């Protein structure tokens, strides 16, 4: 926790040095201290300089970070455009390279019922669903990370903490072990989803205290449940016949290979709906920085908000993990990276994290299928390789700057 | 806004507390540690639900009113707000508008101006860009007050607002709350300050109201002896308010320095 506190402090460090202290009144102008109070008396009425110009009308206030609404809108547009271009570029990259203009043309002609050649099949049936699912999964993971970090007031919160990720792996692995697939091709995603929900329900049940959900208990329960389910998963994977070990590993490390169109729809809807809902709750999430007491006094029903946010997060994670396996670090890393640049205001953090997460995972998936051809690298391996140095970098920067 | 607390009990901490604050009245809540002051305030701002009794704001039960609606009427400066916030002062002050915000949470120009003006008023405008974690205790307290005032409440609830404040800021805070024209319920430990700042004092002891009236009626040698177990001298000052003298009982033969 101590180091997590410090990670949070990193983003502030830059500004600390620029603060002007000259406006401090009391000690500087002793003559005016406790004089008769004017109408509408103010605390420290001594300052005459009228420094109210510090807040501009661009809505800079309440952002927690310089940069007005236009900067935020610009970032949204830029990230969306970048994501659009990346989707097309990523569709072109793979064992068979297809130039960017050709991909764009094939996509445009797809609606017009153009004849299907091999390149059309690769673009439309193999790569596009995979790339889109990557974007959906990345957006979902990053959104959930931002939500959980706000709701649990813990910068280290991520889907593993609510048990959903490891539960999904166990659910999928159990079905593989039983070798019974009652729902055909949907059996694995469904069992992963059910596993996620079961583990989450266990964590939720354990984290109740006095009828309310206690963030501290939730984290402890989540760590314990995750450790247990991961141990069981590992045991099953190690004792499963050789051939199936690889597909079981997929659930623990994540991957998007073999994605088909039917895998994309439900996760996309769930992630979009959850992100939109979370954005409408973002200012209430902001209130949580004042603690449960302070947020309550701002009209936020803390326990209800926390429970709903966590349940929605678990649904998103269950849905996403069911199609992509457990991809680590994205949920943890993306919100932190966005916070460094855009500040901690959840009204901005959530949409920007969703877009950044989508962008990141699209490119990580390109790496997964390009770096070790013809084999694929599990996505979770790449995100961990990227994520660990990222955190070390945060720590080093933080250590250099320190706090006053 | 009229506040009525009717016979409120909670977990044995509060045992049938009743009090009323009339519109515009500044009511001081005093009493020893653990007498139930903060718990009573928590019942008022909907943090804890009384086992028995009701809290009414202009006649409406707070537990039958949506939380957000209550927060538009009631602002709180609680004790022990988180001190280690990375958020800047202006960010935290702006949080006070949350009960009034729409779904997208955008502040209007008028709200931005209100926030700036309130930070000036509470002497924190110069700290606007500082992370709250870098402030002193008194500065943080003023930030919380600014946040509460930005809520534009009709009832202001203050739990030990003078904690951490230096003498000048204590005096200015208590003056400020009197100029707001809203109903105020404030807990204070300094009886002399409470007597000067409040229209009426209510004394809690072990979860019960043991006195309710003007400062001169309430702050008496008898009350100090019975409620606080302190033998103090109380004499009326020139302004009619009670003055306290607290003999610390120095022994004539000073013990040798350690």
């Amino acid at each position: 926790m101590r180091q997590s506190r410090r990670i949070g402090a990193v983003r502030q460090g830059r500004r600390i040095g620029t603060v002007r202290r000259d406006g401090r009144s009391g000690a500087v102008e002793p003559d005016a201290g406790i004089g008769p109070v004017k109408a509408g008396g103010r605390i420290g009425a001594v300052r005459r300089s009228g420094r109210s110009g510090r807040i501009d009308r661009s809505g800079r206030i309440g952002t927690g970070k310089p940069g007005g609404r236009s900067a935020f809108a610009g970032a949204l547009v830029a990230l969306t455009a970048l994501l659009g271009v990346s989707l097309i570029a990523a569709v072109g990259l793979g064992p068979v390279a297809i130039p960017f203009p050709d991909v764009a043309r094939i996509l445009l002609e797809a609606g017009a019922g153009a004849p299907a050649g091999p390149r059309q099949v690769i673009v439309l049936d193999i790569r596009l669903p995979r790339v889109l699912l990557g974007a959906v999964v990345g957006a979902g993971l990053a959104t959930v990370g931002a939500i959980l970090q706000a709701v649990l007031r813990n910068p280290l919160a991520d889907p593993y903490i609510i048990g959903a990720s490891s539960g999904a792996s166990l659910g999928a692995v159990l079905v593989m072990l039983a070798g019974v697939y009652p729902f055909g091709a949907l059996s694995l995603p469904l069992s992963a989803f059910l596993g996620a929900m079961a583990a989450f329900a266990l964590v939720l049940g354990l984290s109740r205290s006095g009828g309310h959900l206690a963030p501290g208990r939730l984290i402890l329960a989540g760590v314990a449940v995750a450790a247990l389910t991961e141990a069981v998963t590992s045991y099953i994977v190690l004792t499963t016949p050789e051939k199936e070990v690889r597909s079981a590993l997929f659930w623990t490390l994540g991957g998007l290979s073999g994605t088909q169109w039917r895998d994309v729809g439900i996760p996309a809807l769930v992630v979009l709906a959850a992100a939109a809902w979370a954005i409408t709750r973002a200012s209430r999430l902001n209130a949580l920085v004042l603690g449960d007491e302070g947020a309550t006094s701002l009209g936020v029903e803390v326990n209800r908000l926390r429970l709903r946010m966590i349940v929605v997060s678990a649904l998103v994670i269950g849905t996403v993990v069911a199609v992509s396996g457990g991809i680590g670090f994205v949920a943890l890393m993306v919100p932190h990276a966005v916070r460094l640049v855009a500040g901690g205001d959840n009204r901005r953090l959530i949409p920007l994290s969703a877009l950044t997460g989508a962008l990141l995972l699209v490119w990580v998936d390109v790496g997964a299928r390009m770096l070790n051809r013809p084999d694929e690298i599990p996505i979770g391996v790449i995100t961990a390789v990227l994520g660990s140095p990222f955190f070390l970098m945060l720590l080093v920067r933080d250590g250099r700057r320190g706090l006053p | 806004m009229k506040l009525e607390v009717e016979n409120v009990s909670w977990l044995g901490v509060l045992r049938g507390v009743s009090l009323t604050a009339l519109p515009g009245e500044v009511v001081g809540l005093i009493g020893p540690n653990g007498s139930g002051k903060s718990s009573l305030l928590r019942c008022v701002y909907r943090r804890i639900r009384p086992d028995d009794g009701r809290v009414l704001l202009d006649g409406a039960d707070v537990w039958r009113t949506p939380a957000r609606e209550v927060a538009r009427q009631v602002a709180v400066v609680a004790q022990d707000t988180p001190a280690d916030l990375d958020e800047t002062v202006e960010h935290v002050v702006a949080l006070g508008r949350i009960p009034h915000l729409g779904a997208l949470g955008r502040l209007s120009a008028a709200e931005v101006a209100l926030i700036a003006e309130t930070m000036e008023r509470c002497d924190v405008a110069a700290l606007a860009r500082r992370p709250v974690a870098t402030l002193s205790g008194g500065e943080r307290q003023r930030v919380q007050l600014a946040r509460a005032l930005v809520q534009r409440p009709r009832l202001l609830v203050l739990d030990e607002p003078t904690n951490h404040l230096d003498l000048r800021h204590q005096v200015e805070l208590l003056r400020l709350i009197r100029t707001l024209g809203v109903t105020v319920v404030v807990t204070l430990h300094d009886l002399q300050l409470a007597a000067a700042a409040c229209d009426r004092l209510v004394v809690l002891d072990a979860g019960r109201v043991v006195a309710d009236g003007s400062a001169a009626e309430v702050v008496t040698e008898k009350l100090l002896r019975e409620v606080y177990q302190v033998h103090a001298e109380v004499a009326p000052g020139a302004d009619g308010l009670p003055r306290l003298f607290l003999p610390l009982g120095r022994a004539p033969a000073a013990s040798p320095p350690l």
Side-chain angles (χ1 to χ4, degrees), chain A residues 81-104:
Chain A
L82 202 57
L83 181 61
V85 172
S86 298
L87 289 175
I88 299 175
V91 167
L93 293 168
V96 179
I98 303 172
F100 189 92
D102 294 0
V103 175

Side-chain angles (χ1 to χ4, degrees), chain A residues 5 8 12 19 24 26 33 37 41-44 47 54-55 60-61 69 283 289-290 293 299 347, chain B residues 42 45 71 82 84-86 91 98 105-107 115 119-121 123 129-130 139 168 172 175-176:
Chain A
R5 171 84 259 136
Q12 302 295 348
V19 168
R24 299 285 308 281
V37 165
R42 52 165 70 153
I43 293 189
R47 197 184 313 99
R54 275 176 177 272
I55 304 161
R60 186 180 280 188
I61 194 157
R69 276 177 195 159
S283 53
V289 300
L290 294 177
E293 193 90 19
R347 289 170 293 179
Chain B
R42 285 195 177 113
Y45 61 82
D84 54 353
L85 298 180
D86 296 327
H91 180 99
I98 285 177
R106 292 173 71 116
L107 293 170
I115 289 161
M119 286 200 295
E120 281 285 328
R121 223 178 170 191
D123 199 19
R129 293 285 156 80
R130 289 261 302 272
E139 288 168 336
R168 177 186 139 225
E172 288 176 355
R175 265 196 198 124
L176 174 70

Side-chain angles (χ1 to χ4, degrees), chain B residues 133-214:
Chain B
T134 68
L135 304 182
S136 77
E139 288 168 336
R140 281 202 292 271
Q141 194 72 8
R142 272 144 49 206
V143 169
Q144 292 301 332
L145 179 71
R147 195 221 73 235
L149 295 185
V150 156
Q151 261 174 279
R152 280 282 166 94
R154 294 172 61 216
L155 169 65
L156 185 59
V157 173
L158 305 165
D159 198 357
E160 309 276 355
T162 53
N163 269 2
H164 304 296
L165 292 185
D166 60 39
L167 201 53
R168 177 186 139 225
H169 283 108
Q170 286 187 24
V171 169
E172 288 176 355
L173 176 133
L174 293 173
R175 265 196 198 124
L176 174 70
I177 60 173
R178 294 198 63 85
T179 65
L180 296 173
V182 303
T183 311
V184 178
V185 178
V186 52
T187 66
L188 289 165
H189 271 305
D190 186 325
L191 298 186
Q192 204 151 302
L193 213 53
C198 303
D199 299 319
R200 200 151 55 79
L201 296 180
V202 176
V203 186
L204 281 187
D205 187 25
R208 288 197 175 84
V209 174
V210 294
D212 183 343
S214 70

